[in-house]
Amino acid sequence: MTAYRPDALVAEDIDAYLAGHAAKTMLRFITCGSVDDGKSTLIGRLLYDSRAIFEDQLAALEADSARVGTQGTNIDFALLVDGLTAEREQGITIDVAYRFFATERRKFIVADTPGHEQYTRNMVTGASTADCAVILIDARKGVLTQTRRHSYLANLVGIREIVLAVNKMDLVGYDQSVFDSIVEEYRAFAASIGIDRFTAIPLSGLTGANVTERADAMPWYAGPTLLQHLEVVPVDTDRAATRPFRLPVQWVNRPDLDFRGFAGMIAAGSVSVGERVRIVPSGRTTQVARIIGADGERTRAVAGEAVTVTLADEVDCSRGDVIAAADSPPAIADQFVATIVWLADQPMVQGRGYWLKLGTQMVNATVQPPRYVIDVNTQAELSATTLELNDIGVAEVYCDRQIVFEPYADGVDLGGFILIDRATNATVAAGMIDQALRRSGDVHWQSIDVTREAHASQKGQSPRVLWFTGLSGSGKSTIANLVERKLHALGRHSFLLDGDNIRHGLNRDLDFSEAGRIENVRRVGEVARLMADAGLIVLTAFISPFRAERDMVRGMLPVGEFVEIFVDTPLAVAEARDVKGLYAKARAGQIADFTGISSPYEAPARPDIRIDTTRETPETAAERIVEHVIGIWSPDL
Ligand SMILES: Nc1ncnc2c1ncn2[C@@H]1O[C@H](COP(=O)(O)OS(=O)(=O)O)[C@@H](OP(=O)(O)O)[C@H]1O
Ligand SMILES: Nc1ncnc2c1ncn2[C@@H]1O[C@H](COP(=O)(O)OP(=O)(O)O)[C@@H](O)[C@H]1O
């Protein structure tokens, strides 16, 4: 290996330096091990021996090149930090240090994750974009629990290149038999968790033996040094290039009527002009007419490249769709079994709707209680009712519509997803699709001839869901009743779903726990949607204490159809009214989880209508609501 000498070249010919630098492939790798294994020393040696470009040097370089009017450092710099900013924007607090260095053959980003309790979250975050994992073993200690944990996690997130770095060989007299027995023990374990291939290298971070320089002390080892190996291991895009073509559409580029291009990053395979492609999920096939890359018109493009393609026919294709090889398209489904790593401090809430983001697709999804969680140290399958921080579990995921996917093992881009809290926008989990549930493919949406528009127009009205929310005794039922009477008198077709009544029938199996209330509101939302599909004006009077579920119901309906009405009555006033005597019982400890007292109420931040019942009578509140509803639907007045 020839050490890379950026300083000299930068001084002589910055353009040549930047051009050479930009053309090199990038390897992202992760180091797993603890300080005791000599990890810091090893990384330090790699950086030192390869005359690494440190972050601050790159920043200085960028500033210098801007000053002399040269372009081109930006791309590398983005690559250096993009992993970080993406995670920060998603609200995950992680503890992963990224370091950048380069040799003449390759650029490297090494993610260094500390080995403390937050290990799973840190490692999954650091490893999710890595091509390769370097697993450190102390030659004196051999394969330990943490070696197994690191290997399991690396394999879980889809890292196919594993390097077993048997460190501190100097402390065992560079003895081949020590190395061989560690490799044999590791091979048996690796096979048991599905790792069929790894590269073992005996080395010493301290002396530098087999890190960047060959070691005279270990003549029995004929393989590459660690750096030599890292310079040639295949990166994920090499592997992706051999799979069937996939282009998840990021946006549709339509500058004028003559041009309609579909832009995105090719996730797998390659594509040539004239090739037949299939748009998924619609299933329409057509041919690729043109391919435009960063450097202009192309005849072919491969995985990892950002392109815009145009198609021979005017087919429907929008953001979230996937343009794929016509004869081997990805699957579509709305229910999956997935392996989920929980990243948030708040545990998973059964039945709660989370945003599921898979590539360019975003849908609402709920997670069932896990079938089991995995002990990362022993790989044992344990029973659990929910997923908590750092848990890894296998669970069913239900989406509210079909998505285009591939099992994670076949492709990270269409198989990996994140779950996002709808209220805070924080990433709460990372998931990997194992397979679709069979019933998902068996249940088809029945296409119905009498559409919701036909139902509504027959009734001469636009459907609405008037969603009343507020504390017990706030006045939801009283006002909703009055509104319905007025609508009825005006000849509107309506139906009132009331908390007390539904809880005696449809939802009699549900309690007032968080999960019980979430499921209560979800079912009511589904029923309200069906009734709105039937053309009705639906009124619902449920406490519906959580923002996430109210927002979820809003998202289930066409824009503008959901009207959130906050019956804003202070707790003290509702409690003073105590229509049903429940507050007195709750205060006396006879009712558990009572809203406002021992269970939370999340007030709407921006309701469509707010009613202050301390200032407004039920009558005037109802008139205002009717005016709001009739006002926005003027055609048939
Ligand atoms: N623990 C506890 N907390 C809150 N409310 C309780 C509880 N136990 C019984 N009740 C009675 O149930 C009614 C609320 O049911 P909801 O279906 O509207 O509640 S929720 O939306 O699922 O939170 C509510 O009716 P309203 O007073 O009309 O709101 C109460 O009468
Ligand atoms: N401005 C008001 N709006 C609604 N209800 C009011 C108002 N002022 C007093 N009330 C009384 O408050 C009580 C509200 O009870 P209810 O409608 O059953 O509440 P909820 O359905 O929210 O539990 C009723 O007895 C009602 O007469």
Side-chain angles (χ1 to χ4, degrees), residues 468-482 498-500 541-543 567 569 573-574 577-580 582-583 611-621:
F468 292 78
T469 173
L471 295 171
S472 170
S474 58
K476 302 181 297 294
S477 309
T478 306
I479 300 169
N481 259 303
L482 272 175
D498 191 85
D500 285 342
F542 296 81
I543 297 178
V567 185
T569 303
V573 177
R577 287 180 193 157
D578 208 1
V579 199
K580 301 169 190 161
L582 296 176
Y583 281 97
I611 290 155
D612 178 349
T613 65
T614 61
R615 294 167 184 270
E616 209 169 357
T617 65
E619 185 62 30
T620 58

Side-chain angles (χ1 to χ4, degrees), residues 219-389:
W220 46 266
Y221 173 73
T225 65
L226 177 61
L227 191 59
Q228 276 171 341
H229 180 68
L230 293 176
E231 282 184 322
V232 297
V233 301
V235 294
D236 280 347
T237 43
D238 298 343
R239 254 196 312 274
T242 63
R243 294 200 300 265
F245 173 61
R246 309 275 183 258
L247 173 65
V249 175
Q250 205 142 21
W251 62 292
V252 181
N253 183 2
R254 184 148 219 184
D256 56 58
L257 285 177
D258 299 330
F259 186 89
R260 198 158 73 107
F262 305 97
M265 169 92 79
I266 301 179
S270 62
V271 66
S272 300
V273 169
E275 226 163 77
R276 287 204 71 71
V277 288
R278 188 180 298 271
I279 315 300
V280 193
S282 79
R284 282 285 310 268
T285 59
T286 178
Q287 276 169 307
V288 172
R290 296 170 62 192
I291 302 171
I292 299 128
D295 45 2
E297 197 92 17
R298 308 270 294 270
T299 54
R300 183 169 183 273
V302 299
E305 292 184 308
V307 292
T308 298
V309 300
T310 68
L311 303 171
D313 303 292
E314 274 278 329
V315 291
D316 248 357
C317 181
S318 50
R319 181 182 163 85
D321 289 356
V322 176
I323 303 177
D327 48 3
S328 57
I332 47 176
D334 58 3
Q335 297 182 12
F336 309 97
V337 179
T339 304
I340 297 175
V341 185
W342 202 256
L343 305 171
D345 293 324
Q346 309 296 330
M348 188 264 283
V349 180
Q350 182 198 342
R352 167 147 294 170
Y354 296 98
W355 288 120
L356 182 152
K357 186 169 185 298
L358 188 152
T360 56
Q361 308 172 82
M362 183 108 126
V363 296
N364 185 66
T366 56
V367 184
Q368 291 300 103
R371 291 178 176 177
Y372 56 88
V373 295
I374 296 153
D375 180 331
V376 283
N377 293 325
T378 62
Q379 289 77 53
E381 296 174 1
L382 312 173
S383 70
T385 53
T386 186
L387 293 171
E388 299 183 15
L389 178 63

Side-chain angles (χ1 to χ4, degrees), residues 471-473 476-477 499-500 503 512 517 520-521 541-545 580 582 591-595:
L471 295 171
S472 170
K476 302 181 297 294
S477 309
D500 285 342
R503 276 185 172 279
F512 286 92
R517 290 178 200 259
N520 183 36
V521 171
F542 296 81
I543 297 178
S544 44
K580 301 169 190 161
L582 296 176
I591 306 179
D593 295 332
F594 196 81
T595 308

Side-chain angles (χ1 to χ4, degrees), residues 283-563:
R284 282 285 310 268
T285 59
T286 178
Q287 276 169 307
V288 172
R290 296 170 62 192
I291 302 171
I292 299 128
D295 45 2
E297 197 92 17
R298 308 270 294 270
T299 54
R300 183 169 183 273
V302 299
E305 292 184 308
V307 292
T308 298
V309 300
T310 68
L311 303 171
D313 303 292
E314 274 278 329
V315 291
D316 248 357
C317 181
S318 50
R319 181 182 163 85
D321 289 356
V322 176
I323 303 177
D327 48 3
S328 57
I332 47 176
D334 58 3
Q335 297 182 12
F336 309 97
V337 179
T339 304
I340 297 175
V341 185
W342 202 256
L343 305 171
D345 293 324
Q346 309 296 330
M348 188 264 283
V349 180
Q350 182 198 342
R352 167 147 294 170
Y354 296 98
W355 288 120
L356 182 152
K357 186 169 185 298
L358 188 152
T360 56
Q361 308 172 82
M362 183 108 126
V363 296
N364 185 66
T366 56
V367 184
Q368 291 300 103
R371 291 178 176 177
Y372 56 88
V373 295
I374 296 153
D375 180 331
V376 283
N377 293 325
T378 62
Q379 289 77 53
E381 296 174 1
L382 312 173
S383 70
T385 53
T386 186
L387 293 171
E388 299 183 15
L389 178 63
N390 289 319
D391 275 353
I392 298 174
V394 172
E396 293 181 8
V397 178
Y398 302 159
C399 303
D400 66 350
R401 62 187 169 80
Q402 297 202 312
I403 55 173
V404 185
F405 80 99
E406 274 174 325
Y408 190 80
D410 293 348
V412 174
D413 293 270
L414 288 178
F417 61 86
I418 55 170
L419 295 177
I420 300 169
D421 183 305
R422 299 172 61 110
T424 62
N425 266 339
T427 299
V428 292
M432 289 142 274
I433 295 180
D434 298 337
Q435 65 187 76
L437 283 171
R438 187 124 60 85
R439 63 173 178 263
S440 162
D442 297 341
V443 181
H444 294 284
W445 292 100
Q446 182 65 44
S447 66
I448 296 167
D449 295 333
V450 181
T451 60
R452 81 192 305 274
E453 287 74 23
H455 282 294
S457 98
Q458 190 183 49
K459 294 186 176 59
Q461 62 184 35
S462 297
R464 288 281 179 273
V465 172
L466 308 182
W467 191 279
F468 292 78
T469 173
L471 295 171
S472 170
S474 58
K476 302 181 297 294
S477 309
T478 306
I479 300 169
N481 259 303
L482 272 175
V483 172
E484 195 185 24
R485 270 172 43 193
K486 288 182 192 302
L487 289 172
H488 192 76
L490 284 166
R492 308 296 150 166
H493 302 262
S494 63
F495 197 81
L496 171 59
L497 294 166
D498 191 85
D500 285 342
N501 302 337
I502 295 284
R503 276 185 172 279
H504 283 122
L506 177 66
N507 291 354
R508 68 172 163 233
D509 56 325
L510 302 176
D511 59 14
F512 286 92
S513 66
E514 189 181 21
R517 290 178 200 259
I518 289 172
E519 180 60 10
N520 183 36
V521 171
R522 188 192 70 78
R523 289 186 199 169
V524 172
E526 291 284 354
V527 172
R529 171 165 63 173
L530 291 174
M531 290 187 161
D533 282 351
L536 295 176
I537 297 171
V538 190
L539 303 93
T540 67
F542 296 81
I543 297 178
S544 44
F546 306 125
R547 234 171 257 144
E549 280 64 49
R550 295 192 303 260
D551 285 352
M552 184 181 80
V553 179
R554 185 191 291 275
M556 282 159 44
L557 290 156
V559 173
E561 212 160 277
F562 179 87
V563 182

